[in-house]
Structures are given as structure tokens and as C-alpha cells.
Amino acid sequence: METVLLPSAYLPPVRFFSAMKTGSVLIEQYDSYVKQTYRNRCVIATANGMQPLTVPTVRPDTPKQIMKDVRISDHGDWRRQHWNALESAYMNSPFFMYYQDDFRPFYEKKYEFLLDFNMELTRIILELAHMKVELNLTESYGATYNSVTDLRALAEPGQGTSSARPYWQVFGRKHGFLPGLSAVDLLFNMGPEFKSFL
């Protein structure tokens, strides 16, 4: 079985889950944390177009910080804002009402570390999509693994969006198909077809 190496991501884009079809996934926890990437940011579709949602993080004491040590900041009311944005964007999607109770608790509970928050959200998406994926964390940076496809570059926004296959979106008539969105967009719009779409 081929193993795919991916970065940690907040509500990862659809292409992350396409890569996870191999069934065996390593999430990099020892890479350097870089702001303005999918590590703490996702993009959703709203009536006004694409909207980024960013999880605020605590400023580190050192210039470089590894992903597993990044703490979530309680600055502002970001949890409520993110939940309200998701609810507003997807309340008219075909499947939001079926999945909202699975996602709401993530915006009511405080997580200390970004990696833990990201991992739990990724797991719930996999579970709801009925994808059986072995999800593990790396043991060190640059460790040697057998048959690993390194896709850590997908942390950068815009990577792989040009080949995105269109699917039905709530605001598709208004904006056309918007690629590169969080996988929750596919889940809330396509529901049980999520896995077969990939």
C-alpha cells in the first residue's frame, strides 16, 4: 500500500482527500510552521465569493517553530465567527443540516494545539465520508519511509487547483465553480457522494 505524506491543515482542501484515497496517510508534524498556508487557514464559498477562515495562533518565542508546538490563540471570537461563517455559507446546501451537529462541537471546545484541532477535523471528515484511511503522524522530520509520496507542498494555497474537477456548489450559478475550497464544501454539497466523487 502506498503511503502519502501530507501537511497538517485546517479543514483541508478537497485535493488532500483525493490524495488520501491510497488508504495510508502520514501527517507531517515536525515541519516548520509557516503562516498564510492551509496549516491554519481554509477557504469556503459564500454568497460574496471565496472567504478565508484563519485560526489565530500564539506568537512563538523563537523565529522558527515546528508544527506540533503551535498553540491556538484565544484572541478575538474566532470560534463563533468561523461557525457563523460556515452556517451562513452552507445552511442552504443539501447536506449541511445532516452534518452540522458533527462539526459544531469543534467550535465550542477549546483546543490548545493547532495540530490536534486539525487532526480531529480531518478525522471527522473522513468518518462522515466513509473513507477508511490509516492516519498517522510522522516520528521525525525527514525520516525515511518506504513507498512514500511526498505531498507536503499542498500546504501552499493554489497548489493543484488548476486540475480541480467541478461539482455542484450552492453559489455556482452566481460565481461559477470555485476550486481549492475546503473539503467541507464538497461534503455539505454532495453528502454521501463525497467518496465516489474523489
Side-chain angles (χ1 to χ4, degrees):
M1 179 189 310
E2 180 190 13
T3 300
V4 172
L5 178 59
L6 288 166
S8 173
Y10 170 51
L11 293 176
V14 173
R15 65 182 171 275
F16 276 54
F17 292 88
S18 290
M20 290 182 189
K21 288 187 301 182
T22 63
S24 179
V25 177
L26 277 172
I27 300 294
E28 180 63 76
Q29 67 172 331
Y30 288 99
D31 56 342
S32 292
Y33 173 69
V34 180
K35 290 182 180 180
Q36 313 228 349
T37 63
Y38 289 125
R39 289 173 181 89
N40 73 321
R41 176 181 295 190
C42 72
V43 181
I44 62 171
T46 70
N48 297 319
M50 295 171 83
Q51 177 182 341
L53 300 176
T54 304
V55 177
T57 57
V58 175
R59 178 172 285 187
D61 297 329
T62 58
K64 287 193 175 184
Q65 186 176 31
I66 59 173
M67 181 63 201
K68 77 176 191 68
D69 296 332
V70 176
R71 286 183 159 78
I72 296 175
S73 172
D74 283 328
H75 179 71
D77 195 11
W78 73 269
R79 287 179 187 84
R80 184 185 60 79
Q81 291 169 5
H82 284 212
W83 180 249
N84 287 347
L86 287 166
E87 198 171 37
S88 175
Y90 296 108
M91 63 194 294
N92 292 323
S93 67
F95 297 96
F96 180 76
M97 65 183 258
Y98 296 103
Y99 300 129
Q100 64 180 333
D101 291 339
D102 295 296
F103 285 94
R104 185 182 293 114
F106 290 97
Y107 298 94
E108 294 171 344
K109 176 184 174 183
K110 289 187 177 182
Y111 283 80
E112 183 176 1
F113 292 99
L114 180 62
L115 179 67
D116 297 336
F117 185 55
N118 290 351
M119 288 293 286
E120 291 305 311
L121 281 167
T122 299
R123 283 190 177 106
I124 195 67
I125 294 170
L126 288 167
E127 180 184 321
L128 296 172
H130 304 289
M131 291 179 68
K132 290 187 169 122
V133 174
E134 185 183 324
L135 200 62
N136 294 299
L137 293 168
T138 57
E139 295 174 4
S140 63
Y141 188 78
T144 304
Y145 300 98
N146 292 331
S147 304
V148 172
T149 302
D150 189 345
L151 297 177
R152 288 176 290 186
L154 289 182
E156 301 298 323
Q159 292 289 324
T161 56
S162 60
S163 60
R165 200 170 104 222
Y167 56 87
W168 187 88
Q169 294 176 328
V170 174
F171 303 107
R173 282 190 172 166
K174 184 174 183 181
H175 304 297
F177 176 71
L178 299 173
L181 300 179
S182 166
V184 295
D185 186 81
L186 178 61
L187 185 66
F188 296 153
N189 285 312
M190 303 294 284
E193 293 181 54
F194 183 105
K195 183 179 176 182
S196 60
F197 175 83
L198 299 178

